[in-house]
Short mmCIF file of all heavy atoms in Angstrom, two decimals:
data_model
loop_
_atom_site.label_atom_id
_atom_site.label_comp_id
_atom_site.label_asym_id
_atom_site.label_seq_id
_atom_site.Cartn_x
_atom_site.Cartn_y
_atom_site.Cartn_z
N MET C 1476 12.64 1.48 -20.45
CA MET C 1476 12.44 0.09 -20.42
C MET C 1476 11.44 -0.28 -19.32
O MET C 1476 11.50 0.16 -18.24
CB MET C 1476 13.78 -0.58 -20.14
CG MET C 1476 13.63 -2.16 -20.11
SD MET C 1476 15.20 -2.97 -20.24
CE MET C 1476 15.86 -2.74 -18.64
N SER C 1477 10.41 -0.98 -19.75
CA SER C 1477 9.31 -1.37 -18.83
C SER C 1477 9.43 -2.84 -18.42
O SER C 1477 9.65 -3.69 -19.35
CB SER C 1477 8.01 -1.08 -19.46
OG SER C 1477 6.95 -1.46 -18.66
N ALA C 1478 9.21 -3.11 -17.19
CA ALA C 1478 9.35 -4.52 -16.74
C ALA C 1478 8.19 -4.75 -15.79
O ALA C 1478 7.83 -3.91 -14.96
CB ALA C 1478 10.69 -4.79 -16.03
N VAL C 1479 7.59 -5.88 -15.86
CA VAL C 1479 6.55 -6.29 -14.91
C VAL C 1479 7.26 -7.06 -13.79
O VAL C 1479 7.96 -8.05 -14.02
CB VAL C 1479 5.48 -7.20 -15.63
CG1 VAL C 1479 4.50 -7.68 -14.61
CG2 VAL C 1479 4.81 -6.44 -16.72
N LEU C 1480 7.09 -6.56 -12.59
CA LEU C 1480 7.72 -7.17 -11.41
C LEU C 1480 6.70 -7.86 -10.60
O LEU C 1480 5.52 -7.41 -10.42
CB LEU C 1480 8.42 -6.09 -10.61
CG LEU C 1480 9.46 -5.29 -11.39
CD1 LEU C 1480 9.99 -4.18 -10.54
CD2 LEU C 1480 10.65 -6.17 -11.83
N ALA C 1481 7.07 -8.95 -10.03
CA ALA C 1481 6.19 -9.70 -9.08
C ALA C 1481 5.93 -8.92 -7.86
O ALA C 1481 6.73 -8.07 -7.43
CB ALA C 1481 6.79 -11.07 -8.79
N ASP C 1482 4.82 -9.21 -7.20
CA ASP C 1482 4.47 -8.52 -5.95
C ASP C 1482 5.47 -8.94 -4.90
O ASP C 1482 6.04 -10.02 -4.92
CB ASP C 1482 3.06 -8.89 -5.56
CG ASP C 1482 2.01 -8.13 -6.34
OD1 ASP C 1482 2.42 -7.18 -7.05
OD2 ASP C 1482 0.84 -8.50 -6.32
N PHE C 1483 5.59 -8.11 -3.83
CA PHE C 1483 6.36 -8.40 -2.73
C PHE C 1483 5.67 -9.53 -1.92
O PHE C 1483 4.44 -9.52 -1.87
CB PHE C 1483 6.56 -7.18 -1.77
CG PHE C 1483 7.33 -6.08 -2.43
CD1 PHE C 1483 6.76 -4.84 -2.64
CD2 PHE C 1483 8.69 -6.27 -2.79
CE1 PHE C 1483 7.48 -3.82 -3.23
CE2 PHE C 1483 9.43 -5.26 -3.41
CZ PHE C 1483 8.88 -4.03 -3.55
N PRO C 1484 6.41 -10.45 -1.38
CA PRO C 1484 5.78 -11.51 -0.60
C PRO C 1484 5.13 -11.02 0.67
O PRO C 1484 5.67 -10.08 1.34
CB PRO C 1484 6.87 -12.50 -0.32
CG PRO C 1484 8.11 -11.67 -0.37
CD PRO C 1484 7.84 -10.59 -1.38
N VAL C 1485 4.02 -11.62 1.10
CA VAL C 1485 3.43 -11.30 2.36
C VAL C 1485 3.81 -12.45 3.31
O VAL C 1485 3.41 -13.58 3.15
CB VAL C 1485 1.85 -11.18 2.31
CG1 VAL C 1485 1.29 -10.96 3.63
CG2 VAL C 1485 1.48 -10.07 1.34
N LEU C 1486 4.57 -12.09 4.33
CA LEU C 1486 5.02 -13.16 5.26
C LEU C 1486 3.99 -13.39 6.33
O LEU C 1486 3.44 -12.41 6.85
CB LEU C 1486 6.37 -12.76 5.85
CG LEU C 1486 7.53 -12.40 4.88
CD1 LEU C 1486 8.73 -11.92 5.59
CD2 LEU C 1486 7.81 -13.67 3.99
N THR C 1487 3.79 -14.63 6.72
CA THR C 1487 2.86 -14.90 7.75
C THR C 1487 3.60 -15.72 8.77
O THR C 1487 4.49 -16.52 8.45
CB THR C 1487 1.63 -15.71 7.30
OG1 THR C 1487 2.09 -16.85 6.57
CG2 THR C 1487 0.76 -14.87 6.39
N PRO C 1488 3.34 -15.63 10.04
CA PRO C 1488 2.36 -14.68 10.59
C PRO C 1488 2.83 -13.17 10.45
O PRO C 1488 4.02 -12.90 10.42
CB PRO C 1488 2.21 -15.00 12.07
CG PRO C 1488 3.58 -15.65 12.35
CD PRO C 1488 4.06 -16.30 11.14
N VAL C 1489 1.85 -12.29 10.38
CA VAL C 1489 2.12 -10.89 10.23
C VAL C 1489 2.49 -10.30 11.59
O VAL C 1489 1.79 -10.45 12.53
CB VAL C 1489 0.93 -10.15 9.64
CG1 VAL C 1489 1.12 -8.68 9.48
CG2 VAL C 1489 0.52 -10.76 8.28
N THR C 1490 3.64 -9.62 11.62
CA THR C 1490 4.11 -9.03 12.89
C THR C 1490 3.59 -7.59 13.02
O THR C 1490 3.13 -7.01 11.99
CB THR C 1490 5.65 -9.03 12.93
OG1 THR C 1490 6.15 -8.15 11.88
CG2 THR C 1490 6.23 -10.44 12.75
N ASP C 1491 3.76 -7.05 14.23
CA ASP C 1491 3.41 -5.62 14.43
C ASP C 1491 4.25 -4.71 13.55
O ASP C 1491 3.70 -3.73 13.04
CB ASP C 1491 3.55 -5.27 15.91
CG ASP C 1491 2.53 -5.91 16.82
OD1 ASP C 1491 1.48 -6.39 16.29
OD2 ASP C 1491 2.76 -5.99 18.01
N GLU C 1492 5.52 -5.07 13.39
CA GLU C 1492 6.32 -4.23 12.54
C GLU C 1492 5.85 -4.26 11.05
O GLU C 1492 5.83 -3.22 10.41
CB GLU C 1492 7.80 -4.77 12.59
CG GLU C 1492 8.73 -3.93 11.82
CD GLU C 1492 10.21 -4.44 11.84
OE1 GLU C 1492 10.41 -5.56 12.41
OE2 GLU C 1492 11.09 -3.72 11.32
N ASP C 1493 5.44 -5.45 10.57
CA ASP C 1493 4.87 -5.52 9.27
C ASP C 1493 3.65 -4.64 9.13
O ASP C 1493 3.45 -4.02 8.08
CB ASP C 1493 4.50 -6.97 8.93
CG ASP C 1493 5.71 -7.91 8.79
OD1 ASP C 1493 6.81 -7.43 8.49
OD2 ASP C 1493 5.54 -9.16 8.93
N LEU C 1494 2.79 -4.69 10.14
CA LEU C 1494 1.54 -3.91 10.06
C LEU C 1494 1.87 -2.44 10.06
O LEU C 1494 1.23 -1.63 9.43
CB LEU C 1494 0.65 -4.26 11.26
CG LEU C 1494 -0.12 -5.62 11.17
CD1 LEU C 1494 -0.87 -5.87 12.42
CD2 LEU C 1494 -1.00 -5.57 9.96
N GLY C 1495 2.87 -1.99 10.79
CA GLY C 1495 3.27 -0.61 10.83
C GLY C 1495 3.73 -0.15 9.46
O GLY C 1495 3.37 0.90 8.95
N LEU C 1496 4.57 -1.00 8.86
CA LEU C 1496 5.08 -0.68 7.50
C LEU C 1496 3.95 -0.73 6.45
O LEU C 1496 3.94 0.09 5.51
CB LEU C 1496 6.20 -1.60 7.07
CG LEU C 1496 7.50 -1.53 7.94
CD1 LEU C 1496 8.48 -2.65 7.65
CD2 LEU C 1496 8.11 -0.19 7.63
N ALA C 1497 3.07 -1.68 6.65
CA ALA C 1497 1.90 -1.79 5.67
C ALA C 1497 1.04 -0.51 5.75
O ALA C 1497 0.58 0.01 4.75
CB ALA C 1497 1.07 -3.02 5.97
N ALA C 1498 0.78 -0.03 7.04
CA ALA C 1498 -0.01 1.22 7.17
C ALA C 1498 0.69 2.40 6.54
O ALA C 1498 0.01 3.16 5.85
CB ALA C 1498 -0.18 1.43 8.71
N LEU C 1499 2.01 2.43 6.66
CA LEU C 1499 2.72 3.55 5.99
C LEU C 1499 2.65 3.42 4.49
O LEU C 1499 2.39 4.44 3.79
CB LEU C 1499 4.17 3.54 6.47
CG LEU C 1499 5.06 4.64 5.86
CD1 LEU C 1499 4.57 5.97 6.29
CD2 LEU C 1499 6.49 4.42 6.42
N ALA C 1500 2.80 2.21 3.98
CA ALA C 1500 2.74 2.04 2.54
C ALA C 1500 1.34 2.39 1.97
O ALA C 1500 1.29 3.06 0.94
CB ALA C 1500 3.05 0.57 2.18
N VAL C 1501 0.32 2.01 2.69
CA VAL C 1501 -1.04 2.29 2.19
C VAL C 1501 -1.32 3.79 2.31
O VAL C 1501 -2.04 4.35 1.41
CB VAL C 1501 -2.06 1.49 3.04
CG1 VAL C 1501 -3.51 1.95 2.76
CG2 VAL C 1501 -1.94 0.04 2.66
N ARG C 1502 -0.76 4.48 3.33
CA ARG C 1502 -0.96 5.90 3.46
C ARG C 1502 -0.19 6.73 2.44
O ARG C 1502 -0.66 7.79 1.97
CB ARG C 1502 -0.57 6.31 4.90
CG ARG C 1502 -0.99 7.79 5.20
CD ARG C 1502 -0.73 8.13 6.65
NE ARG C 1502 0.66 8.51 6.78
CZ ARG C 1502 1.46 7.95 7.71
NH1 ARG C 1502 1.03 7.04 8.50
NH2 ARG C 1502 2.74 8.29 7.76
N VAL C 1503 1.02 6.27 2.10
CA VAL C 1503 1.81 7.06 1.21
C VAL C 1503 1.55 6.75 -0.31
O VAL C 1503 1.56 7.64 -1.14
CB VAL C 1503 3.35 6.80 1.51
CG1 VAL C 1503 4.25 7.41 0.43
CG2 VAL C 1503 3.71 7.36 2.92
N HIS C 1504 1.33 5.54 -0.57
CA HIS C 1504 1.13 5.09 -2.00
C HIS C 1504 -0.41 5.07 -2.28
O HIS C 1504 -1.02 4.00 -2.35
CB HIS C 1504 1.73 3.72 -2.19
CG HIS C 1504 3.23 3.76 -2.04
ND1 HIS C 1504 4.08 3.93 -3.10
CD2 HIS C 1504 4.00 3.73 -0.93
CE1 HIS C 1504 5.33 3.98 -2.66
NE2 HIS C 1504 5.27 3.81 -1.32
N ILE C 1505 -0.94 6.24 -2.50
CA ILE C 1505 -2.37 6.41 -2.76
C ILE C 1505 -2.58 6.85 -4.25
O ILE C 1505 -1.66 7.36 -4.82
CB ILE C 1505 -3.02 7.47 -1.83
CG1 ILE C 1505 -2.35 8.84 -1.96
CG2 ILE C 1505 -2.93 6.99 -0.37
CD1 ILE C 1505 -2.99 9.88 -1.15
N PRO C 1506 -3.79 6.60 -4.74
CA PRO C 1506 -4.04 6.96 -6.16
C PRO C 1506 -4.18 8.51 -6.26
O PRO C 1506 -4.65 9.19 -5.41
CB PRO C 1506 -5.36 6.29 -6.46
CG PRO C 1506 -6.02 6.11 -5.17
CD PRO C 1506 -4.94 5.97 -4.13
N GLU C 1507 -3.67 8.98 -7.44
CA GLU C 1507 -3.85 10.36 -7.77
C GLU C 1507 -4.33 10.42 -9.26
O GLU C 1507 -3.69 9.79 -10.09
CB GLU C 1507 -2.47 11.07 -7.63
CG GLU C 1507 -2.51 12.57 -7.81
CD GLU C 1507 -1.15 13.14 -7.53
OE1 GLU C 1507 -0.18 13.02 -8.26
OE2 GLU C 1507 -1.10 13.83 -6.39
N PRO C 1508 -5.36 11.20 -9.51
CA PRO C 1508 -5.90 11.24 -10.91
C PRO C 1508 -4.98 12.06 -11.80
O PRO C 1508 -4.48 13.12 -11.46
CB PRO C 1508 -7.25 11.88 -10.72
CG PRO C 1508 -7.19 12.70 -9.49
CD PRO C 1508 -6.22 11.96 -8.58
N TRP C 1509 -4.68 11.49 -12.98
CA TRP C 1509 -3.96 12.08 -14.03
C TRP C 1509 -4.81 12.01 -15.32
O TRP C 1509 -5.68 11.11 -15.36
CB TRP C 1509 -2.59 11.42 -14.21
CG TRP C 1509 -1.59 11.85 -13.17
CD1 TRP C 1509 -1.59 11.48 -11.85
CD2 TRP C 1509 -0.56 12.77 -13.33
NE1 TRP C 1509 -0.54 12.11 -11.16
CE2 TRP C 1509 0.09 12.89 -12.10
CE3 TRP C 1509 -0.05 13.45 -14.36
CZ2 TRP C 1509 1.23 13.69 -11.89
CZ3 TRP C 1509 1.09 14.27 -14.24
CH2 TRP C 1509 1.72 14.33 -12.97
N PRO C 1510 -4.54 12.78 -16.32
CA PRO C 1510 -5.30 12.70 -17.55
C PRO C 1510 -5.45 11.27 -18.19
O PRO C 1510 -6.37 10.89 -18.75
CB PRO C 1510 -4.63 13.66 -18.51
CG PRO C 1510 -3.95 14.69 -17.62
CD PRO C 1510 -3.50 13.87 -16.37
N HIS C 1511 -4.33 10.48 -17.99
CA HIS C 1511 -4.34 9.13 -18.59
C HIS C 1511 -4.62 8.05 -17.54
O HIS C 1511 -4.44 6.90 -17.88
CB HIS C 1511 -2.96 8.87 -19.30
CG HIS C 1511 -1.79 9.16 -18.39
ND1 HIS C 1511 -1.32 10.45 -18.21
CD2 HIS C 1511 -0.99 8.30 -17.69
CE1 HIS C 1511 -0.28 10.37 -17.37
NE2 HIS C 1511 -0.04 9.12 -17.08
N GLY C 1512 -5.16 8.43 -16.46
CA GLY C 1512 -5.58 7.39 -15.46
C GLY C 1512 -5.04 7.65 -14.07
O GLY C 1512 -4.31 8.62 -13.82
N LEU C 1513 -5.29 6.73 -13.16
CA LEU C 1513 -4.84 6.86 -11.75
C LEU C 1513 -3.38 6.42 -11.71
O LEU C 1513 -2.98 5.34 -12.20
CB LEU C 1513 -5.68 5.98 -10.85
CG LEU C 1513 -7.10 6.43 -10.61
CD1 LEU C 1513 -7.76 5.46 -9.66
CD2 LEU C 1513 -7.09 7.84 -9.94
N LEU C 1514 -2.51 7.20 -11.04
CA LEU C 1514 -1.17 6.87 -10.79
C LEU C 1514 -0.91 6.93 -9.27
O LEU C 1514 -1.58 7.68 -8.55
CB LEU C 1514 -0.23 7.87 -11.50
CG LEU C 1514 -0.27 7.95 -13.01
CD1 LEU C 1514 0.74 8.98 -13.53
CD2 LEU C 1514 0.02 6.54 -13.63
N CYS C 1515 0.08 6.11 -8.89
CA CYS C 1515 0.51 6.20 -7.51
C CYS C 1515 1.09 7.55 -7.24
O CYS C 1515 1.97 8.02 -8.01
CB CYS C 1515 1.57 5.14 -7.24
SG CYS C 1515 2.36 5.19 -5.64
N ARG C 1516 0.72 8.24 -6.17
CA ARG C 1516 1.13 9.55 -5.94
C ARG C 1516 2.69 9.56 -5.61
O ARG C 1516 3.38 10.46 -5.95
CB ARG C 1516 0.47 10.17 -4.64
CG ARG C 1516 0.91 11.55 -4.28
CD ARG C 1516 0.19 12.09 -3.06
NE ARG C 1516 0.67 11.40 -1.87
CZ ARG C 1516 0.27 11.65 -0.67
NH1 ARG C 1516 -0.65 12.55 -0.48
NH2 ARG C 1516 0.76 11.01 0.35
N SER C 1517 3.19 8.48 -5.08
CA SER C 1517 4.58 8.45 -4.71
C SER C 1517 5.52 8.03 -5.84
O SER C 1517 6.57 8.55 -6.02
CB SER C 1517 4.80 7.50 -3.53
OG SER C 1517 6.09 7.45 -3.11
N GLU C 1518 5.05 7.00 -6.62
CA GLU C 1518 5.93 6.39 -7.65
C GLU C 1518 5.60 6.83 -9.07
O GLU C 1518 6.37 6.57 -10.00
CB GLU C 1518 5.91 4.90 -7.52
CG GLU C 1518 6.47 4.43 -6.19
CD GLU C 1518 6.51 2.89 -6.12
OE1 GLU C 1518 6.67 2.30 -7.24
OE2 GLU C 1518 6.38 2.39 -5.05
N ARG C 1519 4.44 7.43 -9.26
CA ARG C 1519 4.00 7.83 -10.59
C ARG C 1519 3.95 6.64 -11.61
O ARG C 1519 4.33 6.73 -12.74
CB ARG C 1519 4.86 8.93 -11.23
CG ARG C 1519 4.85 10.19 -10.44
CD ARG C 1519 3.54 10.94 -10.64
NE ARG C 1519 3.64 12.33 -10.07
CZ ARG C 1519 3.03 12.66 -8.93
NH1 ARG C 1519 2.37 11.77 -8.23
NH2 ARG C 1519 3.16 13.88 -8.48
N VAL C 1520 3.47 5.49 -11.08
CA VAL C 1520 3.26 4.33 -11.87
C VAL C 1520 1.73 4.02 -11.81
O VAL C 1520 1.12 4.51 -10.89
CB VAL C 1520 4.07 3.12 -11.44
CG1 VAL C 1520 5.52 3.44 -11.64
CG2 VAL C 1520 3.77 2.72 -10.06
N PRO C 1521 1.19 3.21 -12.66
CA PRO C 1521 -0.27 2.90 -12.56
C PRO C 1521 -0.64 2.37 -11.10
O PRO C 1521 0.13 1.57 -10.57
CB PRO C 1521 -0.45 1.85 -13.61
CG PRO C 1521 0.58 2.15 -14.66
CD PRO C 1521 1.75 2.58 -13.85
N TYR C 1522 -1.71 2.92 -10.60
CA TYR C 1522 -2.15 2.51 -9.26
C TYR C 1522 -2.97 1.23 -9.39
O TYR C 1522 -3.80 1.11 -10.30
CB TYR C 1522 -2.99 3.62 -8.61
CG TYR C 1522 -3.41 3.24 -7.22
CD1 TYR C 1522 -2.52 3.47 -6.19
CD2 TYR C 1522 -4.62 2.77 -6.96
CE1 TYR C 1522 -2.89 3.07 -4.88
CE2 TYR C 1522 -5.01 2.37 -5.65
CZ TYR C 1522 -4.13 2.55 -4.64
OH TYR C 1522 -4.51 2.17 -3.39
N PRO C 1523 -2.88 0.30 -8.49
CA PRO C 1523 -2.03 0.29 -7.33
C PRO C 1523 -0.56 -0.21 -7.59
O PRO C 1523 -0.38 -1.21 -8.42
CB PRO C 1523 -2.69 -0.76 -6.40
CG PRO C 1523 -3.39 -1.63 -7.39
CD PRO C 1523 -3.79 -0.84 -8.53
N CYS C 1524 0.38 0.46 -7.07
CA CYS C 1524 1.79 0.06 -7.25
C CYS C 1524 2.09 -1.15 -6.36
O CYS C 1524 1.28 -1.59 -5.61
CB CYS C 1524 2.72 1.27 -6.92
SG CYS C 1524 2.68 1.65 -5.13
N ARG C 1525 3.33 -1.63 -6.52
CA ARG C 1525 3.73 -2.82 -5.75
C ARG C 1525 3.53 -2.63 -4.28
O ARG C 1525 3.06 -3.52 -3.54
CB ARG C 1525 5.15 -3.23 -6.07
CG ARG C 1525 5.33 -3.81 -7.44
CD ARG C 1525 6.75 -4.09 -7.80
NE ARG C 1525 7.23 -5.24 -7.03
CZ ARG C 1525 8.51 -5.48 -6.83
NH1 ARG C 1525 9.41 -4.72 -7.33
NH2 ARG C 1525 8.84 -6.57 -6.17
N LEU C 1526 4.00 -1.50 -3.76
CA LEU C 1526 3.96 -1.27 -2.30
C LEU C 1526 2.52 -1.10 -1.82
O LEU C 1526 2.16 -1.60 -0.74
CB LEU C 1526 4.78 -0.11 -1.91
CG LEU C 1526 6.28 -0.39 -1.70
CD1 LEU C 1526 7.02 0.91 -1.51
CD2 LEU C 1526 6.50 -1.33 -0.63
N ALA C 1527 1.66 -0.47 -2.55
CA ALA C 1527 0.25 -0.31 -2.23
C ALA C 1527 -0.40 -1.79 -2.16
O ALA C 1527 -1.10 -2.14 -1.21
CB ALA C 1527 -0.53 0.56 -3.13
N ARG C 1528 -0.10 -2.63 -3.13
CA ARG C 1528 -0.64 -3.97 -3.16
C ARG C 1528 -0.16 -4.74 -1.94
O ARG C 1528 -0.86 -5.49 -1.32
CB ARG C 1528 -0.27 -4.65 -4.47
CG ARG C 1528 -1.00 -4.11 -5.65
CD ARG C 1528 -0.90 -4.98 -6.87
NE ARG C 1528 0.49 -5.24 -7.26
CZ ARG C 1528 1.18 -4.60 -8.18
NH1 ARG C 1528 0.68 -3.54 -8.79
NH2 ARG C 1528 2.41 -4.97 -8.48
N TRP C 1529 1.14 -4.57 -1.66
CA TRP C 1529 1.73 -5.35 -0.48
C TRP C 1529 1.07 -4.86 0.82
O TRP C 1529 0.78 -5.66 1.64
CB TRP C 1529 3.29 -5.15 -0.47
CG TRP C 1529 3.85 -5.72 0.81
CD1 TRP C 1529 4.19 -7.02 0.97
CD2 TRP C 1529 4.16 -5.02 1.99
NE1 TRP C 1529 4.67 -7.22 2.27
CE2 TRP C 1529 4.70 -5.97 2.87
CE3 TRP C 1529 3.98 -3.68 2.45
CZ2 TRP C 1529 5.09 -5.62 4.16
CZ3 TRP C 1529 4.37 -3.38 3.68
CH2 TRP C 1529 4.92 -4.31 4.58
N GLY C 1530 0.93 -3.58 0.94
CA GLY C 1530 0.28 -3.01 2.14
C GLY C 1530 -1.12 -3.58 2.35
O GLY C 1530 -1.43 -4.02 3.45
N HIS C 1531 -1.88 -3.55 1.30
CA HIS C 1531 -3.27 -4.08 1.42
C HIS C 1531 -3.29 -5.53 1.66
O HIS C 1531 -4.05 -6.06 2.45
CB HIS C 1531 -4.08 -3.74 0.13
CG HIS C 1531 -4.36 -2.27 0.03
ND1 HIS C 1531 -5.30 -1.60 0.80
CD2 HIS C 1531 -3.87 -1.31 -0.81
CE1 HIS C 1531 -5.35 -0.34 0.45
NE2 HIS C 1531 -4.58 -0.14 -0.52
N ALA C 1532 -2.36 -6.30 0.95
CA ALA C 1532 -2.32 -7.80 1.21
C ALA C 1532 -1.86 -8.09 2.63
O ALA C 1532 -2.40 -9.06 3.20
CB ALA C 1532 -1.36 -8.39 0.13
N THR C 1533 -0.94 -7.35 3.11
CA THR C 1533 -0.47 -7.64 4.50
C THR C 1533 -1.60 -7.35 5.48
O THR C 1533 -1.78 -8.08 6.41
CB THR C 1533 0.79 -6.75 4.77
OG1 THR C 1533 1.82 -7.07 3.90
CG2 THR C 1533 1.25 -6.93 6.21
N ARG C 1534 -2.30 -6.25 5.30
CA ARG C 1534 -3.37 -5.92 6.11
C ARG C 1534 -4.47 -7.03 6.15
O ARG C 1534 -4.95 -7.54 7.10
CB ARG C 1534 -4.01 -4.60 5.72
CG ARG C 1534 -5.16 -4.18 6.62
CD ARG C 1534 -5.75 -2.91 6.11
NE ARG C 1534 -6.41 -3.17 4.85
CZ ARG C 1534 -6.67 -2.22 3.95
NH1 ARG C 1534 -6.22 -1.05 4.12
NH2 ARG C 1534 -7.25 -2.53 2.84
N GLU C 1535 -4.75 -7.50 4.93
CA GLU C 1535 -5.76 -8.68 4.77
C GLU C 1535 -5.25 -9.92 5.43
O GLU C 1535 -5.98 -10.66 6.03
CB GLU C 1535 -6.05 -8.82 3.30
CG GLU C 1535 -6.88 -7.76 2.68
CD GLU C 1535 -7.02 -7.83 1.19
OE1 GLU C 1535 -6.68 -8.97 0.66
OE2 GLU C 1535 -7.45 -6.93 0.53
N ALA C 1536 -3.94 -10.18 5.27
CA ALA C 1536 -3.34 -11.40 5.84
C ALA C 1536 -3.43 -11.40 7.38
O ALA C 1536 -3.53 -12.44 8.04
CB ALA C 1536 -1.93 -11.57 5.40
N ALA C 1537 -3.39 -10.14 7.94
CA ALA C 1537 -3.51 -10.01 9.39
C ALA C 1537 -4.93 -10.10 9.88
O ALA C 1537 -5.21 -10.12 11.10
CB ALA C 1537 -2.87 -8.69 9.80
N GLY C 1538 -5.89 -10.08 8.86
CA GLY C 1538 -7.32 -10.15 9.25
C GLY C 1538 -7.90 -8.85 9.69
O GLY C 1538 -8.95 -8.85 10.37
N LEU C 1539 -7.30 -7.74 9.30
CA LEU C 1539 -7.87 -6.41 9.71
C LEU C 1539 -8.97 -5.96 8.73
O LEU C 1539 -8.88 -6.20 7.58
CB LEU C 1539 -6.74 -5.38 9.71
CG LEU C 1539 -5.65 -5.46 10.71
CD1 LEU C 1539 -4.64 -4.37 10.51
CD2 LEU C 1539 -6.22 -5.42 12.09
N THR C 1540 -10.00 -5.43 9.33
CA THR C 1540 -11.07 -4.83 8.51
C THR C 1540 -10.66 -3.46 8.02
O THR C 1540 -9.65 -2.85 8.44
CB THR C 1540 -12.34 -4.70 9.31
OG1 THR C 1540 -12.17 -3.73 10.41
CG2 THR C 1540 -12.78 -6.01 9.90
N GLU C 1541 -11.43 -2.93 7.10
CA GLU C 1541 -11.15 -1.57 6.60
C GLU C 1541 -11.21 -0.54 7.69
O GLU C 1541 -10.32 0.37 7.73
CB GLU C 1541 -12.17 -1.21 5.51
CG GLU C 1541 -11.72 -0.05 4.64
CD GLU C 1541 -10.60 -0.38 3.69
OE1 GLU C 1541 -10.49 -1.51 3.25
OE2 GLU C 1541 -9.75 0.51 3.50
N GLN C 1542 -12.12 -0.62 8.63
CA GLN C 1542 -12.19 0.28 9.75
C GLN C 1542 -11.01 0.21 10.68
O GLN C 1542 -10.44 1.19 11.11
CB GLN C 1542 -13.49 0.09 10.54
CG GLN C 1542 -14.76 0.43 9.77
CD GLN C 1542 -15.15 -0.64 8.78
OE1 GLN C 1542 -14.76 -1.81 8.87
NE2 GLN C 1542 -16.03 -0.29 7.82
N GLN C 1543 -10.56 -1.02 10.94
CA GLN C 1543 -9.37 -1.22 11.80
C GLN C 1543 -8.17 -0.66 11.07
O GLN C 1543 -7.30 -0.08 11.72
CB GLN C 1543 -9.21 -2.68 12.10
CG GLN C 1543 -10.22 -3.24 13.03
CD GLN C 1543 -10.11 -4.77 13.13
OE1 GLN C 1543 -9.85 -5.44 12.15
NE2 GLN C 1543 -10.40 -5.29 14.32
N ALA C 1544 -8.03 -0.81 9.82
CA ALA C 1544 -6.93 -0.34 9.07
C ALA C 1544 -6.90 1.21 9.07
O ALA C 1544 -5.84 1.83 9.18
CB ALA C 1544 -6.93 -0.86 7.60
N ASP C 1545 -8.11 1.83 8.94
CA ASP C 1545 -8.18 3.25 9.00
C ASP C 1545 -7.74 3.78 10.39
O ASP C 1545 -6.99 4.79 10.48
CB ASP C 1545 -9.60 3.75 8.66
CG ASP C 1545 -9.97 3.56 7.20
OD1 ASP C 1545 -9.05 3.40 6.40
OD2 ASP C 1545 -11.19 3.62 6.91
N ALA C 1546 -8.16 3.11 11.47
CA ALA C 1546 -7.73 3.52 12.78
C ALA C 1546 -6.23 3.34 12.94
O ALA C 1546 -5.52 4.15 13.55
CB ALA C 1546 -8.45 2.63 13.81
N MET C 1547 -5.65 2.30 12.30
CA MET C 1547 -4.23 2.06 12.33
C MET C 1547 -3.48 3.16 11.63
O MET C 1547 -2.42 3.65 12.08
CB MET C 1547 -3.90 0.65 11.76
CG MET C 1547 -2.51 0.16 11.98
SD MET C 1547 -2.36 -1.54 11.38
CE MET C 1547 -2.06 -1.22 9.69
N LYS C 1548 -4.04 3.60 10.48
CA LYS C 1548 -3.39 4.71 9.70
C LYS C 1548 -3.38 5.97 10.53
O LYS C 1548 -2.40 6.72 10.57
CB LYS C 1548 -4.12 4.92 8.34
CG LYS C 1548 -3.82 3.86 7.35
CD LYS C 1548 -4.35 4.27 6.04
CE LYS C 1548 -5.79 4.09 5.88
NZ LYS C 1548 -6.30 4.31 4.53
N GLU C 1549 -4.53 6.28 11.21
CA GLU C 1549 -4.62 7.47 12.04
C GLU C 1549 -3.59 7.41 13.20
O GLU C 1549 -2.98 8.41 13.48
CB GLU C 1549 -6.03 7.62 12.57
CG GLU C 1549 -7.03 8.07 11.54
CD GLU C 1549 -6.68 9.37 10.90
OE1 GLU C 1549 -6.27 10.33 11.67
OE2 GLU C 1549 -6.82 9.48 9.68
N ALA C 1550 -3.43 6.24 13.79
CA ALA C 1550 -2.45 6.11 14.93
C ALA C 1550 -1.05 6.25 14.49
O ALA C 1550 -0.20 6.67 15.21
CB ALA C 1550 -2.71 4.72 15.57
N ALA C 1551 -0.77 5.93 13.22
CA ALA C 1551 0.59 5.98 12.69
C ALA C 1551 1.02 7.42 12.39
O ALA C 1551 2.18 7.67 12.21
CB ALA C 1551 0.75 5.14 11.43
N ARG C 1552 0.07 8.33 12.30
CA ARG C 1552 0.37 9.77 11.97
C ARG C 1552 0.95 10.37 13.16
O ARG C 1552 1.49 10.69 13.88
CB ARG C 1552 -0.90 10.45 11.54
CG ARG C 1552 -1.35 10.07 10.18
CD ARG C 1552 -2.45 10.90 9.73
NE ARG C 1552 -2.88 10.36 8.44
CZ ARG C 1552 -3.79 10.91 7.70
NH1 ARG C 1552 -4.39 12.00 8.12
NH2 ARG C 1552 -4.17 10.41 6.56
#
């Protein structure tokens, strides 16, 4: 059974805890090529999955640039 689910809400203001979780979501839920298209490596659903979308939206709501987000991902490792 397939269901379309709404995205997770992005709460504002964005807290440091939210940013840490967003960094983890963006790092873990990455695209992986399959013969029928890109799937989330973690969930095996079409990329971007709900958590990847939430992570990117949270990062954008916090006003982080792509470079700052990459630095944040490296620091989270």
Side-chain angles (χ1 to χ4, degrees):
M1476 179 164 75
S1477 176
V1479 176
L1480 302 173
D1482 284 345
F1483 295 118
V1485 176
L1486 304 176
T1487 54
V1489 178
T1490 65
D1491 290 341
E1492 183 180 8
D1493 293 336
L1494 285 176
L1496 292 171
L1499 181 62
V1501 170
R1502 189 174 81 234
V1503 171
H1504 296 266
I1505 60 174
E1507 186 174 75
W1509 282 74
H1511 52 280
L1513 290 178
L1514 297 180
C1515 172
R1516 180 180 72 178
S1517 182
E1518 297 184 29
R1519 299 286 190 253
V1520 298
Y1522 183 82
C1524 66
R1525 289 175 72 197
L1526 278 172
R1528 290 191 305 266
W1529 174 82
H1531 289 288
T1533 299
R1534 183 183 66 205
E1535 290 172 12
L1539 293 179
T1540 65
E1541 196 69 35
Q1542 292 79 19
Q1543 290 169 323
D1545 289 341
M1547 192 172 83
K1548 284 193 282 188
E1549 288 300 318
R1552 287 185 184 186

